[in-house]
Amino acid sequence: MDCDYEAMCATLCLEQTQAVHYYARTPEGSSLGNIAGFFFANFAYVDNDCNYQVADLFAVDIDLDTKRFVKAKLDDININAKETLILLWFNTIAAQHVKLHAMANWGVNVDEALADVNPFFRQSSVVTVLYNYFGYTSFNGFFETWAKEGLVSPGWMKPEKPLVQAFNHGIKANVWQHSQIVELVKYSEFVNFVVQVRAIFTAEFQKHKDLFPGTDGEAMFVGTVLHSLDHSLMDWNLKDPLWLDVDDP
């Protein structure tokens, strides 16, 4: 299956949690068209020598009417759709998705006292915290096996742990202010769904919050609904991982 890189870049911006990086769109009737800008400030990536790098700005323009890539820049370098896809996907797994895991730790309660109030929730909380811990601390350990099998470059095993550096960058960068994301409701199935579901989730959480003491409702929404969606959408959107050009410098 061939990849339509221009359409795929638009999909990764509009139909995943990366939509949170939407910044603004051109005014109605603009001669440039109906263009949305997605800005990734202090953008973390790992270069072809497996060195952790941070660009000042990764900017991607998407035509909202055609759902296609228009242009992109990494700092002062113009990059094409195929190159943009690589960076968007790396951000998805290394800096964006980890935020959901991190925030989920505020949507749980592992206190033993909760065993009397909501034992299933306490059990789920313990599993969530352990999963987040093992995912963060253990993932880097897989590189040795993968390198031996020829699946990754040996450079990923550097003592500096470039992927973990990217993880940390994404977590510390927090979440971009994104109230303007509602402007994408008519152009993104994902945003349209999340905006509506979040309102319902928040209202229902308020009704039953006595069952979830010490828990932040927004964090629970992120750790359950958004996290699950992000996994499913990553699988649905990138139908063939070989679309990612591992040899591109």
Side-chain angles (χ1 to χ4, degrees):
M1 181 188 302
D2 292 331
C3 178
D4 183 339
Y5 287 98
E6 293 186 353
M8 183 55 57
C9 286
T11 297
L12 293 195
C13 286
L14 291 168
E15 305 298 345
Q16 289 182 181
T17 59
Q18 283 188 133
V20 76
H21 285 276
Y22 167 68
Y23 183 73
R25 53 187 283 205
T26 51
E28 186 174 352
S30 169
S31 60
L32 297 174
N34 190 13
I35 310 300
F38 294 81
F39 290 176
F40 303 77
N42 299 314
F43 183 80
Y45 66 100
V46 176
D47 65 22
N48 225 29
D49 295 319
C50 291
N51 293 317
Y52 166 73
Q53 306 283 357
V54 178
D56 290 332
L57 179 66
F58 174 42
V60 183
D61 285 0
I62 300 296
D63 188 313
L64 293 175
D65 293 331
T66 63
K67 305 287 182 67
R68 298 185 70 80
F69 169 91
V70 176
K71 63 180 180 179
K73 293 185 76 171
L74 184 66
D75 285 340
D76 296 326
I77 303 173
N78 292 309
I79 55 178
N80 60 34
K82 190 174 184 180
E83 294 165 331
T84 299
L85 177 63
I86 298 170
L87 294 176
L88 286 173
W89 187 257
F90 181 77
N91 184 72
T92 296
I93 63 171
Q96 175 64 25
H97 188 75
V98 295
K99 298 178 195 291
L100 309 183
H101 279 272
M103 193 168 179
N105 286 325
W106 274 262
V108 300
N109 189 338
V110 298
D111 194 283
E112 292 183 0
L114 192 63
D116 297 326
V117 179
N118 192 340
F120 176 74
F121 177 57
R122 180 179 183 272
Q123 180 186 52
S124 299
S125 296
V126 171
V127 171
T128 296
V129 172
L130 279 173
Y131 184 87
N132 285 340
Y133 171 76
F134 286 129
Y136 176 83
T137 59
S138 302
F139 190 86
N140 204 73
F142 297 139
F143 283 129
E144 182 176 358
T145 299
W146 291 341
K148 289 179 179 177
E149 294 174 346
L151 297 175
V152 298
S153 303
W156 288 98
M157 297 185 296
K158 288 181 177 180
E160 297 84 1
K161 298 181 179 179
L163 183 61
V164 175
Q165 288 180 293
F167 284 168
N168 290 338
H169 182 95
I171 294 168
K172 292 177 181 178
N174 215 314
V175 179
W176 180 294
Q177 189 280 334
H178 55 282
S179 59
Q180 70 275 18
I181 200 171
V182 294
E183 296 175 7
L184 296 180
V185 164
K186 63 183 292 187
Y187 304 104
S188 165
E189 184 178 358
F190 166 75
V191 174
N192 181 49
F193 176 79
V194 169
V195 167
Q196 296 182 70
V197 170
R198 179 178 173 275
I200 297 170
F201 185 100
T202 302
E204 290 301 312
F205 182 84
Q206 289 300 314
K207 294 178 185 177
H208 306 287
K209 62 182 180 181
D210 57 305
L211 294 174
F212 307 97
T215 302
D216 183 90
E218 187 76 25
M220 179 178 280
F221 176 75
V222 169
T224 54
V225 178
L226 282 188
H227 175 259
S228 301
L229 278 174
D230 214 37
H231 269 284
S232 296
L233 290 169
M234 282 189 275
D235 182 52
W236 296 347
N237 292 340
L238 192 74
K239 296 179 173 58
D240 188 346
L242 295 180
W243 289 343
L244 301 171
D245 185 359
V246 298
D247 296 317
D248 192 290

